[in-house]
Amino acid sequence: MDIVNEIFDTFMGDYAYAKLMPLKPALYDFPNPTNATGEARAFSSWQYEPATKYFSLEPSQYAYMSSWARDNIYRQSLNLFLITWIFGLLVYFLFASLSYIFVFDKGTFQHPKYLKNQIRLEIRQTMISMPIMSVLTLPFFLAEVRGHTKCYDGLDAAPFAGYNWLQFPLFLVFTDFCIYWIHRGLHHPAVYKTLHKPHHKWIMPTPYASHAFHPVDGWAQALPYHIFPLLFPLQKLAYVGLFVFVNFWTILIHDGEYVANSPVINGAACHTMHHLYFNYNYGQYTTVWDRLGGSYRKPNDELFARETKFSQKEWSRQTKEMEKMVREVEGEDDRQYDPVESKKSQ
């Protein structure tokens, strides 16, 4: 994340901090100590070092004109909060919107368990949660920027030959295993209604439900991503790329398009089973841990053919079992569904 932080500072941060937190004029000579009008300037003693060996962004003079230099912990904290929040929203709206436009099947709107004003509610929940999740995530990104993780830069700095490739399956296995148990733990009666129920409000989710969590729930399920580089080496650019991938995958499994009936990959069909029936398919990327943990449920074959996917018979079966599970897990169902009449007019 120090690479992203450097890009942010180069194009935005340096100018903003020079304006908002300026240095006082220096009392000693310094190259170019005055501006074009002869007004005294001040420059910090901070020296630029690229965040990565693969490219550098030579800073402007504004990088040296703030009392909060680039290595100031308060500046780094504020930067990382803004980056996590704004970048998270951009990824969310970009990929969720693309999925909604080109992938999501609008026939889902007719499902009896699709909520009234659901997309607006999904986006609203995301808007509330994102800044809080960004604050909770900040310590992990700050640790990486300040060199307290096992992230490395050059490919030649990998711990052994082949690790630059091995880190990706290792990351997926580690995070998939951890998220399975965190997600399953969030279904414990002691915490479900407070933390995880807001995400299960969406029985038939759209791509915009992908980040519509209680903030502590969303943060908890993201913990393995941040813990991984504390325990295992991870190349810096891979760290950024995997952050994007994790967000993209979260949208992918909520897009409602059941492309592949894979027994291994936890795709949208598997995750739909989770939203419909609650106590199954807790995994993130694969079905491995659900199979080992006895919580795997094979997606209904009817989901993979359009004529049966949206059939009244299939929807009736889903509704009957879903309502039974809601009574067991939540008690009274307090969701507000779209009335049948309004769905017919859509």
Side-chain angles (χ1 to χ4, degrees):
M1 198 54 68
D2 57 348
I3 297 173
V4 179
N5 187 51
E6 180 179 313
I7 295 171
F8 179 85
D9 269 332
T10 301
F11 294 101
M12 294 182 61
D14 290 341
Y15 305 97
Y17 289 110
K19 181 72 173 177
L20 298 173
M21 305 289 294
L23 273 174
K24 293 181 179 180
L27 299 178
Y28 53 86
D29 190 22
F30 193 87
N32 303 315
T34 61
N35 62 16
T37 63
E39 191 176 288
R41 277 184 177 162
F43 291 85
S44 74
S45 59
W46 169 81
Q47 296 295 312
Y48 172 66
E49 292 184 13
T52 177
K53 63 186 288 186
Y54 295 108
F55 66 88
S56 63
L57 299 168
E58 192 63 33
S60 69
Q61 61 184 0
Y62 294 99
Y64 304 92
M65 295 172 61
S66 174
S67 59
W68 279 13
R70 284 193 184 182
D71 57 357
N72 180 288
I73 191 170
Y74 300 111
R75 172 171 171 167
Q76 291 173 335
S77 298
L78 181 55
N79 278 6
L80 292 168
F81 165 71
L82 292 173
I83 289 168
T84 307
W85 183 15
I86 296 170
F87 185 65
L89 287 178
L90 290 175
V91 170
Y92 168 72
F93 278 113
L94 174 62
F95 289 127
S97 296
L98 288 173
S99 177
Y100 176 78
I101 294 168
F102 297 108
V103 180
F104 178 67
D105 197 322
K106 311 307 185 291
T108 303
F109 295 152
Q110 306 302 318
H111 195 283
K113 295 305 177 181
Y114 184 81
L115 303 188
K116 183 178 181 180
N117 301 317
Q118 181 169 312
I119 291 178
R120 181 171 63 83
L121 293 172
E122 290 168 342
I123 293 174
R124 180 176 179 272
Q125 179 65 50
T126 302
M127 295 301 97
I128 293 170
S129 298
M130 276 279 194
I132 302 172
M133 286 192 285
S134 299
V135 171
L136 296 173
T137 302
L138 174 60
F140 296 99
F141 283 151
L142 188 62
E144 190 270 329
V145 166
R146 298 187 71 83
H148 300 305
T149 68
K150 295 189 177 184
C151 286
Y152 63 93
D153 183 33
L155 298 179
D156 54 354
F160 55 83
Y163 186 82
N164 288 313
W165 295 107
L166 181 63
Q167 64 183 323
F168 296 105
L170 180 61
F171 172 87
L172 293 176
V173 170
F174 175 84
T175 54
D176 197 36
F177 172 78
C178 293
I179 292 172
Y180 171 80
W181 288 109
I182 292 170
H183 191 179
R184 188 163 183 167
L186 286 163
H187 278 259
H188 191 281
V191 297
Y192 172 80
K193 288 186 178 181
T194 301
L195 296 183
H196 199 50
K197 183 181 175 181
H199 186 63
H200 271 276
K201 184 175 184 175
W202 332 114
I203 301 300
M204 294 302 296
T206 79
Y208 294 105
S210 58
H211 292 69
F213 291 92
H214 184 288
V216 175
D217 179 1
W219 170 78
Q221 294 198 58
L223 273 176
Y225 168 80
H226 304 294
I227 292 173
F228 183 87
L230 294 172
L231 302 177
F232 304 99
L234 185 62
Q235 204 274 332
K236 287 183 178 182
L237 291 172
Y239 186 51
V240 176
L242 287 168
F243 178 72
V244 176
F245 168 76
V246 167
N247 283 274
F248 174 74
W249 184 266
T250 303
I251 293 168
L252 197 68
I253 61 176
H254 290 89
D255 66 15
E257 186 61 31
Y258 315 127
V259 177
N261 189 7
S262 170
V264 177
I265 303 299
N266 178 57
C270 280
H271 201 65
T272 291
M273 293 293 100
H274 179 74
H275 275 265
L276 276 169
Y277 309 129
F278 294 78
N279 296 329
Y280 306 94
N281 300 352
Y282 300 107
Q284 181 77 350
Y285 310 115
T286 75
T287 64
V288 170
W289 308 112
D290 280 297
R291 290 176 183 278
L292 294 174
S295 54
Y296 174 68
R297 176 163 177 162
K298 183 179 181 295
N300 300 346
D301 290 335
E302 287 80 1
L303 296 180
F304 299 95
R306 185 173 177 81
E307 59 272 17
T308 54
K309 174 183 177 181
F310 293 125
S311 70
Q312 291 299 322
K313 180 180 178 181
E314 175 63 14
W315 283 355
S316 177
R317 182 172 70 170
Q318 291 173 1
T319 298
K320 183 177 180 180
E321 186 173 356
M322 171 262 166
E323 289 175 345
K324 178 183 176 183
M325 293 303 299
V326 166
R327 288 192 294 271
E328 292 179 6
V329 175
E330 298 179 357
E332 183 181 355
D333 189 355
D334 57 4
R335 297 167 182 82
Q336 292 185 355
Y337 302 102
D338 245 355
V340 175
E341 293 77 11
S342 72
K343 292 183 180 186
K344 289 180 179 177
S345 64
Q346 288 181 2

